[in-house]
Amino acid sequence: MRKEWLTGEATLFNPTGIKEAATFTCFHCNRVVHVPAKADPDKLGGWCRVCDKAICPQCVKTGECRPFEKELEKMEASYHARRSYGLG
Amino acid sequence: MALYSASNINATTPAQQALSTAFKTQLELSAATATLRRAFIYEFDVGADAVPNATDCAIVWDITAQTSIGTGTAGVVTTQDQADAASGTVATINHTSEPTTTANGSRWALAANQRASYRWVVNPGGPGELVVPATNVTGLGIRAKSTTYTGTAVVSAMFRE
């Protein structure tokens, strides 16, 4: 049964054949993580219990909840602040 | 929602650059101050378009966050529905001078045979899209490199605003 957190599909068209895998996008860092069939769940990342979303193995190691949306907001706010100072 | 597409061969004179051992940005999607908005990539496709090298080898592909535009050709962004307004996202293709990349900013990477091509897709509207921040000249670049393959590559991306 397809899981709802598997949001994407990846297809590799190789000379030897076609390989497909489901993917999810880490909610913390926006990285694409491939989930091949019969993959070891321990190597796929984890589930952030704060934001209730799937995260990649690198974000699991941080132990923090830093949703990508918050990082985007910080980035954009910083840019708007610099612009208001005339720093472009 | 408005859907758009861009590729590194969609320009009057694309000026594709041959791959080398260092990453070369094939397509960069970035925001611009005049039309500042986020872009959400829901599909991208990559592959080589020249004769394969006689020595079998791999091409390394990568999508990474970039904080400048670098030097490249202005790409054409096309609307999927002609009733939609023009895109506010800027496409720069086939760079001759690489943009500045964000440390540890890789969103996706793949090492594949030179004769392989790859497609990734999520539902337009998400969840799972790759996000281009609404910050001037900041964006995502699709890059490629190879130690042996010295031909050109084609990448395309489809996104919404």
Side-chain angles (χ1 to χ4, degrees), chain B residues 91-114:
Chain B
T92 311
I93 63 175
N94 303 321
H95 287 62
T96 52
S97 172
E98 286 297 298
T100 307
T101 55
T102 303
N104 302 317
S106 178
R107 307 279 179 86
W108 166 85
L110 173 77
N113 187 273
Q114 61 174 339

Side-chain angles (χ1 to χ4, degrees), chain B residues 33-48:
Chain B
T33 299
T35 52
L36 210 56
R37 66 197 69 160
R38 290 182 188 174
F40 301 85
I41 299 173
Y42 64 87
E43 178 176 347
F44 67 83
D45 309 83
V46 301

